[in-house]
Amino acid sequence: MSLFDDHFASKNAASARAWAMDSDKNGDKKKRHEAAAPKMGVCDKCHKEALVRSYRTRQTDMGDGAASFGTVVKYYCEECAPKSRRERDADVPQLTSKQVKNLMRSAKKGLL
Ligand SMILES: [Zn+2]
């Protein structure tokens, strides 16, 4: 019986470790996606002085035959800011009346 207990305990410890690693990763991701506050600066795209936000972009450099990957911080004004997919979708909220009716219907169903 003690053999089973040992096995169970070590398995538990392993999954606890895996969970801790996962939550570490998630915390990191959250930190990276935190919205940066706008501040006065020069836009990297139109070079106008405006309220800019910092954006991290991935960059790949080829040097000495080896590729290096890095993150560059660019500053863009509201006009030049790269839109996230969610924002782009929000820009075109074009639902047909039929789609709206369907949405309303499923919403009502969800409430019942
Ligand atoms: Zn700009």
Side-chain angles (χ1 to χ4, degrees), residues 43 45-46 77 80:
C43 173
K45 202 169 180 183
C46 64
C77 68
C80 305

Side-chain angles (χ1 to χ4, degrees), residues 42-52 75-81:
V42 176
C43 173
D44 275 330
K45 202 169 180 183
C46 64
H47 302 288
K48 268 191 297 195
E49 200 175 320
L51 216 53
V52 294
Y75 292 93
Y76 293 124
C77 68
E78 294 291 331
E79 275 172 62
C80 305

